[in-house]
Amino acid sequence: MTKLAITAPDQSIVNERRDFLKTSGLGVVALSGLSLAGPVVAQAAPPTASEGADNFYKSNRVVIEKVRFKNQYNMRIVGNLVSSKDRKSGQQSPAIIVGHPMGAVKEQSSMLYAQKLAEQGFASLAIDLPYWGESEGLPRNLVAPDTYAEAFSAAADFLGTRANIDLNRIGVLGICGSGGFAISAAKLDPRLKAIATVSMYDMGAVTRNGLNQSQNLEQRKALLAKAAGQRAAEFDSGKGIFLNYLPLQLPSDADPVTREFWEFYRTPRGIVVPEGRTLERTQNRMLTSEVRFMNFYPFNDLELIAPRPLLFIAGDQAHSREFSEDAYRKASGPKELFWVPDAGHVDLYDRANLIPWQKLTSFFTQHLAA
């Protein structure tokens, strides 16, 4: 592998929003990762959409403990703490907090990574971000980037209470949108000693600019005006208007990025349906909430993280590769940009045959050493 290193919505609103996204070039990728809350796994069949896909991997070498703890907003965060069965009693382990793709849940991608890392001797904590999965937060599917970032620090608070975990050896792994949230957290929290991202999205940049700078200022302002107008309707009804970004059925004219996400989130390869919810509502969220991302700048002031190390992993065919490249350019201190050959964005969610496990293991082993 090659590396670069230094060390039930209103249909008129749905159609208008979809047309806007198509013309801007942003498309469904602005939701990067998509999916919603959910403890209930709807696994109809083994994954078949992509070679090597193993989202619902179950290791016989680990122990999984459901844990709950509060963040500073007094919201309950729920996660799965995964440990190796070979861990010796009384031994303190390094720990890695794992964040799921934007709009997904810990059962989508995160638990695959958490188990694989635990097999290598790390304690791993796969969390549901607030407003998603089993974690608290109303309304569901709310976009709240500051609250997302705070969840990683809350996870570090929790890990510090466990006698078998070394508080001085905590790392973080953010997948897709959680890459940006983890970086945002690490800027404020020096307890996060080593930061890795996989298929990272800068949710702020893609909402402001689209992919490859395809959205201009006029389009951005139009989207903000639309969201502001929609707030009035939501205020009057008391209900959020959810948009159908990722439909149940893939349109015949779907763009390649929409298709890439659909083949994970809308097929047995990656479907997770929250308890009490429907598949149609998962992955989708409110425009009035989404525009908060326009004020989210995770890559500003990256020098706050140095000299802690950063590792950016992305597929060399990923539509999202610009975000890892941008963060790498802006980062100071130890940093590495690691390309996975022939891999796209979603490939690194679950294609166990492509994910560079050895690279992740060596990174965290080196930088979380006792």
PDB file of all heavy atoms in Angstrom, residues 127-151:
ATOM      1  N   ILE A 127     -19.124   4.153  20.228  1.00  0.00           N
ATOM      2  CA  ILE A 127     -20.200   4.947  20.811  1.00  0.00           C
ATOM      3  C   ILE A 127     -21.245   5.317  19.768  1.00  0.00           C
ATOM      4  O   ILE A 127     -20.950   5.416  18.574  1.00  0.00           O
ATOM      5  CB  ILE A 127     -19.668   6.227  21.473  1.00  0.00           C
ATOM      6  CG1 ILE A 127     -18.933   7.118  20.453  1.00  0.00           C
ATOM      7  CG2 ILE A 127     -18.768   5.895  22.655  1.00  0.00           C
ATOM      8  CD1 ILE A 127     -18.544   8.494  20.994  1.00  0.00           C
ATOM      9  N   ASP A 128     -22.474   5.509  20.229  1.00  0.00           N
ATOM     10  CA  ASP A 128     -23.497   6.180  19.437  1.00  0.00           C
ATOM     11  C   ASP A 128     -23.416   7.662  19.764  1.00  0.00           C
ATOM     12  O   ASP A 128     -23.480   8.055  20.940  1.00  0.00           O
ATOM     13  CB  ASP A 128     -24.894   5.663  19.796  1.00  0.00           C
ATOM     14  CG  ASP A 128     -25.234   4.344  19.124  1.00  0.00           C
ATOM     15  OD1 ASP A 128     -24.783   4.124  17.990  1.00  0.00           O
ATOM     16  OD2 ASP A 128     -25.975   3.537  19.732  1.00  0.00           O
ATOM     17  N   LEU A 129     -23.286   8.502  18.760  1.00  0.00           N
ATOM     18  CA  LEU A 129     -23.289   9.932  18.995  1.00  0.00           C
ATOM     19  C   LEU A 129     -24.660  10.383  19.494  1.00  0.00           C
ATOM     20  O   LEU A 129     -25.668   9.717  19.233  1.00  0.00           O
ATOM     21  CB  LEU A 129     -22.925  10.673  17.716  1.00  0.00           C
ATOM     22  CG  LEU A 129     -21.510  10.420  17.178  1.00  0.00           C
ATOM     23  CD1 LEU A 129     -21.298  11.193  15.889  1.00  0.00           C
ATOM     24  CD2 LEU A 129     -20.440  10.793  18.209  1.00  0.00           C
ATOM     25  N   PRO A 130     -24.734  11.505  20.212  1.00  0.00           N
ATOM     26  CA  PRO A 130     -26.031  12.015  20.658  1.00  0.00           C
ATOM     27  C   PRO A 130     -26.991  12.189  19.479  1.00  0.00           C
ATOM     28  O   PRO A 130     -26.577  12.544  18.373  1.00  0.00           O
ATOM     29  CB  PRO A 130     -25.687  13.366  21.288  1.00  0.00           C
ATOM     30  CG  PRO A 130     -24.249  13.242  21.692  1.00  0.00           C
ATOM     31  CD  PRO A 130     -23.612  12.368  20.662  1.00  0.00           C
ATOM     32  N   TYR A 131     -28.256  11.907  19.728  1.00  0.00           N
ATOM     33  CA  TYR A 131     -29.349  11.993  18.762  1.00  0.00           C
ATOM     34  C   TYR A 131     -29.397  10.811  17.807  1.00  0.00           C
ATOM     35  O   TYR A 131     -30.258  10.763  16.927  1.00  0.00           O
ATOM     36  CB  TYR A 131     -29.299  13.305  17.952  1.00  0.00           C
ATOM     37  CG  TYR A 131     -29.224  14.527  18.815  1.00  0.00           C
ATOM     38  CD1 TYR A 131     -28.013  15.199  19.011  1.00  0.00           C
ATOM     39  CD2 TYR A 131     -30.344  15.006  19.487  1.00  0.00           C
ATOM     40  CE1 TYR A 131     -27.935  16.320  19.831  1.00  0.00           C
ATOM     41  CE2 TYR A 131     -30.269  16.125  20.311  1.00  0.00           C
ATOM     42  CZ  TYR A 131     -29.067  16.776  20.478  1.00  0.00           C
ATOM     43  OH  TYR A 131     -28.994  17.869  21.290  1.00  0.00           O
ATOM     44  N   TRP A 132     -28.507   9.854  17.992  1.00  0.00           N
ATOM     45  CA  TRP A 132     -28.441   8.696  17.104  1.00  0.00           C
ATOM     46  C   TRP A 132     -28.330   7.424  17.937  1.00  0.00           C
ATOM     47  O   TRP A 132     -27.822   7.432  19.055  1.00  0.00           O
ATOM     48  CB  TRP A 132     -27.236   8.809  16.158  1.00  0.00           C
ATOM     49  CG  TRP A 132     -27.244  10.071  15.350  1.00  0.00           C
ATOM     50  CD1 TRP A 132     -26.660  11.261  15.672  1.00  0.00           C
ATOM     51  CD2 TRP A 132     -27.902  10.284  14.104  1.00  0.00           C
ATOM     52  NE1 TRP A 132     -26.904  12.192  14.701  1.00  0.00           N
ATOM     53  CE2 TRP A 132     -27.664  11.626  13.727  1.00  0.00           C
ATOM     54  CE3 TRP A 132     -28.666   9.466  13.269  1.00  0.00           C
ATOM     55  CZ2 TRP A 132     -28.159  12.168  12.545  1.00  0.00           C
ATOM     56  CZ3 TRP A 132     -29.149  10.018  12.094  1.00  0.00           C
ATOM     57  CH2 TRP A 132     -28.896  11.348  11.741  1.00  0.00           C
ATOM     58  N   GLY A 133     -28.768   6.331  17.372  1.00  0.00           N
ATOM     59  CA  GLY A 133     -28.625   5.034  18.008  1.00  0.00           C
ATOM     60  C   GLY A 133     -29.293   4.983  19.358  1.00  0.00           C
ATOM     61  O   GLY A 133     -30.396   5.491  19.576  1.00  0.00           O
ATOM     62  N   GLU A 134     -28.608   4.393  20.314  1.00  0.00           N
ATOM     63  CA  GLU A 134     -29.159   4.242  21.652  1.00  0.00           C
ATOM     64  C   GLU A 134     -28.866   5.432  22.561  1.00  0.00           C
ATOM     65  O   GLU A 134     -29.340   5.474  23.691  1.00  0.00           O
ATOM     66  CB  GLU A 134     -28.606   2.962  22.286  1.00  0.00           C
ATOM     67  CG  GLU A 134     -29.022   1.692  21.575  1.00  0.00           C
ATOM     68  CD  GLU A 134     -28.430   0.448  22.214  1.00  0.00           C
ATOM     69  OE1 GLU A 134     -27.292   0.084  21.854  1.00  0.00           O
ATOM     70  OE2 GLU A 134     -29.097  -0.147  23.086  1.00  0.00           O
ATOM     71  N   SER A 135     -28.079   6.373  22.073  1.00  0.00           N
ATOM     72  CA  SER A 135     -27.786   7.546  22.891  1.00  0.00           C
ATOM     73  C   SER A 135     -28.982   8.489  22.924  1.00  0.00           C
ATOM     74  O   SER A 135     -29.827   8.493  22.022  1.00  0.00           O
ATOM     75  CB  SER A 135     -26.553   8.281  22.353  1.00  0.00           C
ATOM     76  OG  SER A 135     -25.383   7.510  22.566  1.00  0.00           O
ATOM     77  N   GLU A 136     -29.038   9.306  23.975  1.00  0.00           N
ATOM     78  CA  GLU A 136     -30.161  10.222  24.138  1.00  0.00           C
ATOM     79  C   GLU A 136     -30.047  11.405  23.190  1.00  0.00           C
ATOM     80  O   GLU A 136     -28.989  11.674  22.616  1.00  0.00           O
ATOM     81  CB  GLU A 136     -30.228  10.726  25.583  1.00  0.00           C
ATOM     82  CG  GLU A 136     -30.746   9.693  26.557  1.00  0.00           C
ATOM     83  CD  GLU A 136     -30.947  10.262  27.951  1.00  0.00           C
ATOM     84  OE1 GLU A 136     -30.272  11.256  28.300  1.00  0.00           O
ATOM     85  OE2 GLU A 136     -31.777   9.703  28.692  1.00  0.00           O
ATOM     86  N   GLY A 137     -31.139  12.142  23.085  1.00  0.00           N
ATOM     87  CA  GLY A 137     -31.177  13.357  22.296  1.00  0.00           C
ATOM     88  C   GLY A 137     -32.434  13.440  21.464  1.00  0.00           C
ATOM     89  O   GLY A 137     -32.735  12.526  20.689  1.00  0.00           O
ATOM     90  N   LEU A 138     -33.189  14.517  21.649  1.00  0.00           N
ATOM     91  CA  LEU A 138     -34.385  14.775  20.859  1.00  0.00           C
ATOM     92  C   LEU A 138     -34.276  16.163  20.252  1.00  0.00           C
ATOM     93  O   LEU A 138     -33.764  17.077  20.895  1.00  0.00           O
ATOM     94  CB  LEU A 138     -35.637  14.685  21.746  1.00  0.00           C
ATOM     95  CG  LEU A 138     -35.994  13.302  22.290  1.00  0.00           C
ATOM     96  CD1 LEU A 138     -37.162  13.417  23.269  1.00  0.00           C
ATOM     97  CD2 LEU A 138     -36.331  12.344  21.159  1.00  0.00           C
ATOM     98  N   PRO A 139     -34.780  16.337  19.016  1.00  0.00           N
ATOM     99  CA  PRO A 139     -35.372  15.308  18.167  1.00  0.00           C
ATOM    100  C   PRO A 139     -34.315  14.358  17.617  1.00  0.00           C
ATOM    101  O   PRO A 139     -33.131  14.688  17.578  1.00  0.00           O
ATOM    102  CB  PRO A 139     -36.020  16.117  17.047  1.00  0.00           C
ATOM    103  CG  PRO A 139     -35.163  17.347  16.945  1.00  0.00           C
ATOM    104  CD  PRO A 139     -34.760  17.659  18.362  1.00  0.00           C
ATOM    105  N   ARG A 140     -34.758  13.195  17.198  1.00  0.00           N
ATOM    106  CA  ARG A 140     -33.828  12.231  16.623  1.00  0.00           C
ATOM    107  C   ARG A 140     -33.263  12.768  15.306  1.00  0.00           C
ATOM    108  O   ARG A 140     -33.883  13.576  14.626  1.00  0.00           O
ATOM    109  CB  ARG A 140     -34.527  10.878  16.378  1.00  0.00           C
ATOM    110  CG  ARG A 140     -35.184  10.280  17.602  1.00  0.00           C
ATOM    111  CD  ARG A 140     -34.230  10.198  18.800  1.00  0.00           C
ATOM    112  NE  ARG A 140     -33.138   9.267  18.567  1.00  0.00           N
ATOM    113  CZ  ARG A 140     -32.074   9.153  19.369  1.00  0.00           C
ATOM    114  NH1 ARG A 140     -31.934   9.960  20.405  1.00  0.00           N
ATOM    115  NH2 ARG A 140     -31.149   8.274  19.105  1.00  0.00           N
ATOM    116  N   ASN A 141     -32.079  12.325  14.993  1.00  0.00           N
ATOM    117  CA  ASN A 141     -31.374  12.680  13.751  1.00  0.00           C
ATOM    118  C   ASN A 141     -30.932  14.141  13.720  1.00  0.00           C
ATOM    119  O   ASN A 141     -30.632  14.669  12.654  1.00  0.00           O
ATOM    120  CB  ASN A 141     -32.224  12.419  12.501  1.00  0.00           C
ATOM    121  CG  ASN A 141     -32.755  11.019  12.384  1.00  0.00           C
ATOM    122  OD1 ASN A 141     -33.090  10.380  13.375  1.00  0.00           O
ATOM    123  ND2 ASN A 141     -32.877  10.528  11.166  1.00  0.00           N
ATOM    124  N   LEU A 142     -30.890  14.797  14.869  1.00  0.00           N
ATOM    125  CA  LEU A 142     -30.517  16.206  14.901  1.00  0.00           C
ATOM    126  C   LEU A 142     -29.039  16.389  14.558  1.00  0.00           C
ATOM    127  O   LEU A 142     -28.189  15.627  15.016  1.00  0.00           O
ATOM    128  CB  LEU A 142     -30.782  16.787  16.293  1.00  0.00           C
ATOM    129  CG  LEU A 142     -30.568  18.298  16.432  1.00  0.00           C
ATOM    130  CD1 LEU A 142     -31.709  19.054  15.759  1.00  0.00           C
ATOM    131  CD2 LEU A 142     -30.465  18.699  17.902  1.00  0.00           C
ATOM    132  N   VAL A 143     -28.738  17.385  13.765  1.00  0.00           N
ATOM    133  CA  VAL A 143     -27.357  17.756  13.477  1.00  0.00           C
ATOM    134  C   VAL A 143     -26.884  18.720  14.562  1.00  0.00           C
ATOM    135  O   VAL A 143     -27.458  19.798  14.737  1.00  0.00           O
ATOM    136  CB  VAL A 143     -27.228  18.393  12.087  1.00  0.00           C
ATOM    137  CG1 VAL A 143     -25.844  19.008  11.902  1.00  0.00           C
ATOM    138  CG2 VAL A 143     -27.495  17.362  11.004  1.00  0.00           C
ATOM    139  N   ALA A 144     -25.843  18.322  15.290  1.00  0.00           N
ATOM    140  CA  ALA A 144     -25.318  19.130  16.393  1.00  0.00           C
ATOM    141  C   ALA A 144     -23.827  18.839  16.524  1.00  0.00           C
ATOM    142  O   ALA A 144     -23.401  18.094  17.409  1.00  0.00           O
ATOM    143  CB  ALA A 144     -26.050  18.806  17.694  1.00  0.00           C
ATOM    144  N   PRO A 145     -22.993  19.408  15.642  1.00  0.00           N
ATOM    145  CA  PRO A 145     -21.578  19.023  15.585  1.00  0.00           C
ATOM    146  C   PRO A 145     -20.809  19.249  16.875  1.00  0.00           C
ATOM    147  O   PRO A 145     -19.939  18.440  17.215  1.00  0.00           O
ATOM    148  CB  PRO A 145     -21.014  19.857  14.431  1.00  0.00           C
ATOM    149  CG  PRO A 145     -22.033  20.900  14.136  1.00  0.00           C
ATOM    150  CD  PRO A 145     -23.346  20.350  14.549  1.00  0.00           C
ATOM    151  N   ASP A 146     -21.095  20.317  17.616  1.00  0.00           N
ATOM    152  CA  ASP A 146     -20.400  20.518  18.883  1.00  0.00           C
ATOM    153  C   ASP A 146     -20.728  19.416  19.874  1.00  0.00           C
ATOM    154  O   ASP A 146     -19.855  18.961  20.632  1.00  0.00           O
ATOM    155  CB  ASP A 146     -20.772  21.878  19.482  1.00  0.00           C
ATOM    156  CG  ASP A 146     -20.149  23.045  18.731  1.00  0.00           C
ATOM    157  OD1 ASP A 146     -19.272  22.791  17.886  1.00  0.00           O
ATOM    158  OD2 ASP A 146     -20.537  24.190  18.994  1.00  0.00           O
ATOM    159  N   THR A 147     -21.980  18.991  19.873  1.00  0.00           N
ATOM    160  CA  THR A 147     -22.398  17.913  20.779  1.00  0.00           C
ATOM    161  C   THR A 147     -21.775  16.588  20.360  1.00  0.00           C
ATOM    162  O   THR A 147     -21.410  15.771  21.207  1.00  0.00           O
ATOM    163  CB  THR A 147     -23.925  17.804  20.805  1.00  0.00           C
ATOM    164  OG1 THR A 147     -24.491  19.102  20.991  1.00  0.00           O
ATOM    165  CG2 THR A 147     -24.390  16.900  21.935  1.00  0.00           C
ATOM    166  N   TYR A 148     -21.648  16.370  19.062  1.00  0.00           N
ATOM    167  CA  TYR A 148     -20.979  15.160  18.587  1.00  0.00           C
ATOM    168  C   TYR A 148     -19.534  15.122  19.090  1.00  0.00           C
ATOM    169  O   TYR A 148     -19.053  14.096  19.591  1.00  0.00           O
ATOM    170  CB  TYR A 148     -20.955  15.106  17.054  1.00  0.00           C
ATOM    171  CG  TYR A 148     -22.294  15.064  16.359  1.00  0.00           C
ATOM    172  CD1 TYR A 148     -22.387  15.401  15.016  1.00  0.00           C
ATOM    173  CD2 TYR A 148     -23.470  14.686  17.014  1.00  0.00           C
ATOM    174  CE1 TYR A 148     -23.592  15.359  14.340  1.00  0.00           C
ATOM    175  CE2 TYR A 148     -24.675  14.642  16.348  1.00  0.00           C
ATOM    176  CZ  TYR A 148     -24.737  14.981  15.004  1.00  0.00           C
ATOM    177  OH  TYR A 148     -25.925  14.941  14.340  1.00  0.00           O
ATOM    178  N   ALA A 149     -18.824  16.234  18.942  1.00  0.00           N
ATOM    179  CA  ALA A 149     -17.426  16.273  19.373  1.00  0.00           C
ATOM    180  C   ALA A 149     -17.314  16.058  20.880  1.00  0.00           C
ATOM    181  O   ALA A 149     -16.422  15.345  21.352  1.00  0.00           O
ATOM    182  CB  ALA A 149     -16.793  17.606  18.967  1.00  0.00           C
ATOM    183  N   GLU A 150     -18.221  16.648  21.631  1.00  0.00           N
ATOM    184  CA  GLU A 150     -18.204  16.497  23.084  1.00  0.00           C
ATOM    185  C   GLU A 150     -18.335  15.036  23.501  1.00  0.00           C
ATOM    186  O   GLU A 150     -17.796  14.614  24.533  1.00  0.00           O
ATOM    187  CB  GLU A 150     -19.330  17.348  23.683  1.00  0.00           C
ATOM    188  CG  GLU A 150     -19.978  16.849  24.954  1.00  0.00           C
ATOM    189  CD  GLU A 150     -19.062  16.813  26.163  1.00  0.00           C
ATOM    190  OE1 GLU A 150     -18.024  17.500  26.166  1.00  0.00           O
ATOM    191  OE2 GLU A 150     -19.377  16.058  27.100  1.00  0.00           O
ATOM    192  N   ALA A 151     -19.023  14.218  22.683  1.00  0.00           N
ATOM    193  CA  ALA A 151     -19.208  12.808  23.035  1.00  0.00           C
ATOM    194  C   ALA A 151     -17.879  12.066  23.148  1.00  0.00           C
ATOM    195  O   ALA A 151     -17.748  11.132  23.951  1.00  0.00           O
ATOM    196  CB  ALA A 151     -20.107  12.127  22.000  1.00  0.00           C
TER     197      ALA A 151
END
